[in-house]
Amino acid sequence: SPKNLSKIQQLHGEALLGLGHSKQGCVSFKQSAQTDPAYVPTYWGLARCAAATKDFDQAKALLEQALKLDAKNTDTWMWLGKLAQVRNDPKAAEAAYSGVLKIAPNHVDAHLSLALLHLSAGKFDMAQTEIGAALKTAPNHFRAKHLQALLDYRQAKYVAARDKLQEVLKLVPDHMPAVLLSGLVAYELGNYEQAIRDLEKVLSKFPNSVHARKGLAAALLKAGQPDRALDTLKPLLSAESQDATVLAMAGEASMQARKPEQARDYLEKAKAVDPKNAALRTALSISLMAAGDSARAITELESTSAEDPGQSVADTLLIQTYLRNGQFDKALAAINVLEKKA
């Protein structure tokens, strides 16, 4: 029958997409729509094909056509929410996921999608409400547990996050987002060896994960392994690198490895990216001193102290430098400045 043939063509399209044959998959979806224009799942596939070519308006129109055929189809509403997220339209995404819950109040994926939206916006109480609703319906849902751990991590509840992640990893030991988060949590708890193990596991499967690479480098620095940290950061340290955090970590690793000139070069690049960062400028001053350029170091510390009323580390280093140089009047003046700050 046309209905069954349309379903077969739609399933064939999904299989082709799953195998990475998007062009052939999209042809199958078109055939399905021609065979039975009333078969709703075909429109989800056609919308994905349109979105893949950045034709988001067409993708939305296709999903709206699916809603005309069946206004209470929760999958169509979920696809509308996902499309809105791709278009960076959180309000529309929230409206779509809320539409799912009007039809099916216990829809776990809709609750979790809303939770992630709220989490991204820093609305932690609202995210907790949605995660709680999902866990009430599905207490062992690993994605819900993972989102709870992520929420705990974002709120600096690291012990709670660790405990929830242990539950997730018992259910799905190779769930890489949970392994990545486990490594970041272990770092915050000072368990650097565990952090290194977890983050190395992620990088072994996803070598292009910037989060894992930066986290691993930070853990290696804390573990006193600067050479390994530099090797880990190497893929992120192209000549055009504009990531001040990566450059700062490379500078710190170089200082630990007793390569002050290299540290200075990395930190100067980091300062060029983020010139107002007082911590970066203070680190640059330390590298300049270690490289024997005390005059530039003092100039950098003086300007950092003058420009940042909340900075005290630069003031302390400046005072110590004046004392070492026997410049006691300048040291007393710098002490007066620090005294006013703190």
Side-chain angles (χ1 to χ4, degrees), residues 5-143:
L5 180 57
S6 177
K7 184 175 181 179
I8 289 167
Q9 289 166 332
Q10 181 264 335
L11 288 169
H12 191 210
E14 292 290 346
L16 287 164
L17 253 62
L19 291 168
H21 306 312
S22 58
K23 188 175 180 180
Q24 298 95 315
C26 293
V27 169
S28 285
F29 292 135
K30 289 177 182 177
Q31 291 172 342
S32 174
Q34 290 168 357
T35 305
D36 182 6
Y39 188 55
V40 169
T42 299
Y43 292 89
W44 308 336
L46 289 171
R48 287 160 67 193
C49 291
T53 62
K54 307 295 184 185
D55 193 348
F56 299 126
D57 290 338
Q58 175 65 8
K60 185 180 179 184
L62 287 161
L63 292 171
E64 288 173 344
Q65 178 63 30
L67 280 181
K68 289 179 183 177
L69 294 168
D70 181 2
K72 292 190 176 182
N73 190 303
T74 56
D75 286 333
T76 303
W77 283 103
M78 287 298 295
W79 280 114
L80 273 169
K82 291 174 185 177
L83 176 63
Q85 284 187 271
V86 170
R87 300 183 78 171
N88 195 27
D89 188 348
K91 285 187 177 179
E94 184 175 350
Y97 296 135
S98 297
V100 174
L101 294 175
K102 289 176 184 176
I103 301 163
N106 294 326
H107 197 290
V108 172
D109 284 343
H111 281 300
L112 295 181
S113 296
L114 279 171
L116 194 53
L117 279 176
H118 295 322
L119 186 56
S120 299
K123 300 174 182 177
F124 296 146
D125 289 343
M126 294 174 73
Q128 184 63 74
T129 298
E130 298 298 340
I131 294 169
L135 286 170
K136 185 177 180 180
T137 302
N140 289 316
H141 197 291
F142 78 90
R143 279 187 58 231

Side-chain angles (χ1 to χ4, degrees), residues 219-294:
L220 288 166
L221 284 173
K222 291 290 187 180
Q225 301 181 49
D227 291 329
R228 285 185 64 194
L230 281 168
D231 286 341
T232 300
L233 292 170
K234 196 171 183 179
L236 305 178
L237 289 169
S238 66
E240 299 80 24
S241 177
Q242 292 292 302
D243 190 325
T245 304
V246 169
L247 292 165
M249 282 197 289
E252 183 182 345
S254 300
M255 282 295 289
Q256 280 194 26
R258 299 183 180 180
K259 300 173 182 176
E261 290 84 3
Q262 181 174 292
R264 175 200 61 206
D265 293 343
Y266 281 130
L267 290 165
E268 282 181 335
K269 288 181 180 179
K271 180 192 169 186
V273 176
D274 188 3
K276 298 295 184 181
N277 189 313
L280 265 181
R281 296 173 65 180
T282 302
L284 173 59
S285 302
I286 295 170
S287 71
L288 288 166
M289 286 183 193
D293 193 348
S294 58

